[in-house]
Amino acid sequence: MDMIAAAYGCESDEEDSDPWASSRVSAKRTIGRDEEFSSRPFKKVPNRLPAPKLITHEEPDEVVDDPSQHGNRIRSFPHERGNWASFIYLPWEGDSNFVNSVELITQCFQNYGIELQICDDFHISLTKTFILRHLWIEGFVNSVKKQLNGISRPFQLLGTNVLSVYTNEERNRTFLAINIEDPSGMLNVLTQKMDSCMIEYQLPTFYKEACHHVSIAWCVGDKKEELEKIAAGLKLEIEQTACNMAEVRCKIGNLVKRL
């Protein structure tokens, strides 16, 4: 039986532990060709890798908001992967005189014991802040571009020396702003067009009685009454500022689309 087994390439129990066994071919096939194969080196077959473990779906780690990392500001929306806080706006490119005026105004409030932080960038909002899902970004941006077709640009806006005070909807931040005059009425046209995009994606539309403004400084908490009392007593001698608006922007998370 051992001879028959050898003729057909069968292996005994001892051969099971032989690392070269898997590279052998049956003796039946090699009869008469011993010299041909004797000069060929045997290749050791590497051990097979273990089967991979099944990949299980894991929930993303919960993001813990730390207000101390960003001026004690509190998120308006909880962080969710794939959802981006977004808004559409006009950048307000203030010149050096405008920046100096902002610094003067914040100093006046500081004299009354109100510490204000100057805004990182100056802009005029055309929408509320909203949540945009990642899968919607391309289509939403294209919809905004379509609405902007035919809008004559640039157009001029005027910054006044009239101060206004606002809070966000959560009333955990208060903003000091200057009012904007819009001789051409273009701001109302733009907000209506942006509202059309918002309705298309079932997102919140802009305020019905919008008062267009440029936020210049902010503080944590609801201090609207305090700031309004101080602002009413200030006599500001600030020249009116003109700004030509040529570009609409959409901020999606940290990404800014120039439209």
Side-chain angles (χ1 to χ4, degrees):
M1 293 296 294
D2 290 339
M3 294 180 62
I4 296 175
Y8 285 88
C10 297
E11 299 166 355
S12 66
D13 292 339
E14 293 179 356
E15 290 175 330
D16 289 340
S17 60
D18 183 0
W20 302 91
S22 60
S23 63
R24 295 191 183 122
V25 294
S26 71
K28 182 178 180 180
R29 293 175 56 193
T30 59
I31 294 175
R33 297 194 297 173
D34 290 342
E35 293 182 359
E36 178 182 353
F37 286 97
S38 62
S39 61
R40 295 185 183 182
F42 288 110
K43 292 184 180 180
K44 183 176 180 179
V45 177
N47 295 331
R48 291 185 178 182
L49 294 174
K53 296 181 179 179
L54 293 177
I55 299 175
T56 57
H57 174 72
E58 296 182 359
E59 292 296 329
D61 295 335
E62 180 180 357
V63 176
V64 179
D65 186 36
D66 184 1
S68 64
Q69 298 297 319
H70 38 78
N72 292 319
R73 290 175 288 184
I74 300 174
R75 287 182 181 273
S76 297
F77 305 95
H79 177 85
E80 293 183 29
R81 184 171 296 180
N83 289 354
W84 302 100
S86 312
F87 72 104
I88 301 172
Y89 65 97
L90 296 169
W92 180 271
E93 306 291 349
D95 57 17
S96 59
N97 291 332
F98 180 82
V99 174
N100 291 336
S101 297
V102 171
E103 293 175 348
L104 176 62
I105 293 171
T106 55
Q107 182 61 52
C108 290
F109 279 82
Q110 188 173 358
N111 294 338
Y112 286 90
I114 301 295
E115 190 73 30
L116 295 175
Q117 303 294 326
I118 297 177
C119 293
D120 296 332
D121 66 322
F122 304 120
H123 63 267
I124 301 172
S125 296
L126 298 177
T127 66
K128 294 180 180 180
T129 301
F130 57 92
I131 291 296
L132 193 62
R133 296 183 64 83
H134 180 76
L135 295 176
W136 296 350
I137 292 177
E138 182 177 357
F140 181 82
V141 170
N142 288 335
S143 180
V144 173
K145 289 180 178 179
K146 183 178 180 180
Q147 290 292 334
L148 293 176
N149 287 338
I151 295 293
S152 179
R153 291 182 277 179
F155 57 92
Q156 191 175 76
L157 299 176
L158 304 174
T160 70
N161 59 0
V162 179
L163 296 177
S164 296
V165 181
Y166 302 89
T167 62
N168 59 359
E169 294 187 2
E170 296 77 21
R171 305 189 75 85
N172 54 33
R173 290 177 70 194
T174 306
F175 298 87
L176 183 66
I178 62 169
N179 289 352
I180 297 298
E181 290 184 359
D182 178 18
S184 65
M186 190 59 68
L187 286 178
N188 289 333
V189 174
L190 286 173
T191 52
Q192 290 173 6
K193 286 183 172 294
M194 295 305 99
D195 276 352
S196 297
C197 298
M198 306 299 280
I199 292 172
E200 180 183 353
Y201 284 82
Q202 298 182 349
L203 297 168
T205 56
F206 205 49
Y207 306 99
K208 292 183 179 180
E209 297 181 1
C211 181
H212 297 291
H213 60 274
V214 176
S215 293
I216 58 174
W218 61 275
C219 63
V220 174
D222 183 358
K223 297 184 179 180
K224 188 172 188 293
E225 292 186 6
E226 298 175 58
L227 268 63
E228 284 180 336
K229 289 179 181 179
I230 297 172
L234 292 179
K235 294 182 180 180
L236 301 176
E237 297 180 358
I238 299 174
E239 295 182 1
Q240 191 175 56
T241 304
C243 191
N244 292 322
M245 317 304 292
E247 187 177 66
V248 176
R249 296 180 185 176
C250 180
K251 187 171 184 180
I252 306 169
N254 292 324
L255 176 67
V256 177
K257 295 282 190 179
R258 301 172 184 269
L259 309 172

